Amino acid sequence: MHRITVIGAGIMGSRICRHFLGAGAAVALVDPSPEAREGARASFGDGDAAPLFVASVQDLGGDWQHCDLVIEAVPEVLSLKHRVMAELEAFFAPETVIASNTSGLRTSELTRGMRHPRRFLIAHFFNPADLIPAVEVVPGPDTAPEVVARVAALLEETGKKPACLAADVPGFIANRLQHALMRECFHLLDSGVADAETIDTVTRYSLGVRLALIGPFLQRDLNGLDTHLNIARYLYEDLDARRTPPEVLADKVASGQTGRKAGQGFYDWTPERRAHMARIEALLPQVVALSSGTDAKGVSDTDTKDEEDTTCRNG
Ligand SMILES: NC(=O)c1ccc[n+]([C@@H]2O[C@H](COP(=O)([O-])OP(=O)(O)OC[C@H]3O[C@@H](n4cnc5c(N)ncnc54)[C@H](O)[C@@H]3O)[C@@H](O)[C@H]2O)c1
């Protein structure tokens, strides 16, 4: 049985914990905040497998020092992550892998000051972490290849789709794509081309339905690369290329309109919208099942690629 320690019982930590428990692992969840531990505890039903809750790693028994993997999911503040990393290095045995769930900090920034950076990497889960299959695995310049292979195998064994990056870039793959898409969305909104709801509708019913089933490169192959090139020749120069976040976003945040949690963002978060959103979130497993059903198993190209890639199978 795998033993996993998760540091931070917030949005991500509690659901990462749920993922590994669901896969039959023994899990310890560490958070100094009694409220956070209580919130996470309440999210596990009476009959569910539950983690061991503790306030600090020192409260874990000595045998936990040799667990397979520790994943930190504390707030995205580099100085805090450095403090936590020093605690983890001091407590866990040198063979225990330490991973960070950072949204986009670089491995080389996180490992500054670490004594054994070879056992460290980023394992970036997506929210909700127990339901979204992909996990971006980002080794740093010092990470040992066998550590990457061990983490990728563990993730795959527990039902995730690990995707290993070959370079330590900020934002990894998904956040870079998300921000490129949103930069253009903000530009369209700002230039009066369409309102937020129209942009959402077009995105959802065109790119959205396709992207749940096939990736952008496969989709472009379907459309014809010559056609894509012809369009790219005239379109690139018209696309937004700003290098700082747009005012429309900064203004929303400055006025407290931060989205669902504030009751107002680009949408008004009425009780009806909240209920609708809860129904949509409940449908996620069906979308994941549909998406996984389109994996190209049995297609010779894919099989060959998987066999060649021995350190991490890109999901
Ligand atoms: N929220 C998301 O959608 C999302 C998605 C992917 C990655 N991430 C990343 O995951 C990490 C956690 O994000 P979150 O949204 O779960 O944050 P969160 O604020 O919901 O939870 C963080 C938890 O860490 C705890 N904590 C603070 N100091 C600690 C310490 N020294 N030891 C142990 N626990 C401590 C806090 O009490 C809190 O419960 C961040 O790096 C974030 O960028 C977030």
Side-chain angles (χ1 to χ4, degrees):
M1 182 197 272
H2 291 300
R3 280 187 313 164
I4 318 280
T5 306
V6 179
I7 312 293
I11 295 174
M12 293 306 291
S14 55
R15 310 255 341 212
I16 290 172
C17 181
R18 184 181 294 274
H19 162 69
F20 285 113
L21 284 169
V27 184
L29 188 51
V30 181
D31 199 308
S33 154
E35 294 79 28
R37 290 199 305 277
E38 222 23 72
R41 202 190 303 274
S43 72
F44 292 96
D46 281 347
D48 293 352
L52 168 68
F53 287 99
V54 290
S56 93
V57 286
Q58 277 75 33
D59 299 335
L60 292 166
D63 55 335
W64 276 93
Q65 290 178 306
H66 298 273
C67 70
D68 302 276
L69 174 65
V70 186
I71 303 172
E72 76 75 13
V74 304
E76 190 86 336
V77 178
L78 187 58
S79 56
L80 172 62
K81 297 226 187 243
H82 279 154
R83 227 172 37 243
V84 167
M85 223 62 83
E87 262 177 54
L88 301 183
E89 273 217 299
F91 181 78
F92 289 98
E95 76 275 8
T96 294
V97 175
I98 300 177
S100 170
N101 184 51
T102 175
S103 295
L105 292 168
R106 302 175 72 164
T107 311
S108 47
E109 285 174 317
L110 289 163
T111 53
R112 220 178 300 134
M114 269 186 92
R115 280 180 295 135
H116 304 293
R118 61 187 314 281
R119 53 128 149 205
F120 177 85
L121 47 65
I122 288 165
H124 178 230
F125 290 74
F126 294 80
N127 185 26
D130 52 329
L131 298 180
I132 306 289
V135 180
E136 290 172 309
V137 176
V138 191
D142 300 311
T143 311
E146 66 266 25
V147 166
V148 181
R150 253 163 67 196
V151 171
L154 192 154
L155 288 168
E156 204 164 337
E157 202 184 304
T158 60
K160 288 293 182 200
K161 287 194 180 294
C164 292
L165 274 63
D168 183 19
V169 290
F172 323 133
I173 295 173
N175 267 326
R176 293 179 81 93
L177 294 180
Q178 182 148 268
H179 281 264
L181 175 72
M182 282 312 299
R183 179 165 62 179
E184 190 56 36
C185 288
F186 289 130
H187 174 63
L188 291 169
L189 183 71
D190 223 15
S191 354
V193 174
D195 59 15
E197 208 169 327
T198 306
I199 297 170
D200 273 1
T201 302
V202 173
T203 310
R204 183 181 153 199
Y205 286 109
S206 61
L207 308 180
V209 286
R210 292 201 301 228
L211 285 178
L213 301 174
I214 54 171
F217 282 110
L218 183 54
Q219 206 286 325
R220 293 291 86 187
D221 263 10
L222 287 180
N223 270 42
L225 300 184
D226 47 343
T227 304
H228 188 89
L229 177 62
N230 286 337
I231 300 168
R233 281 203 173 106
Y234 64 74
L235 196 56
Y236 272 32
E237 68 179 62
D238 204 61
L239 295 177
D240 194 37
R242 58 177 307 134
R243 299 188 65 85
T244 52
E247 288 76 28
V248 57
L249 174 62
D251 291 349
K252 282 269 175 209
V253 174
S255 64
Q257 295 181 34
T258 51
R260 176 165 71 173
K261 62 189 169 191
Q264 185 69 48
F266 286 104
Y267 290 87
D268 191 7
W269 282 88
T270 58
E272 294 73 35
R273 188 176 303 284
R274 286 174 193 276
H276 178 62
M277 209 53 230
R279 286 196 295 276
I280 286 178
E281 280 172 9
L283 291 173
L284 260 182
Q286 286 178 47
V287 178
V288 170
L290 255 182
S291 183
S292 306
T294 61
D295 279 357
K297 295 277 178 264
V299 177
S300 60
D301 261 347
T302 311
D303 288 344
T304 317
K305 212 162 162 199
D306 287 352
E307 278 160 23
E308 280 167 5
D309 190 347
T310 50
T311 49
C312 179
R313 185 177 304 166
N314 292 311

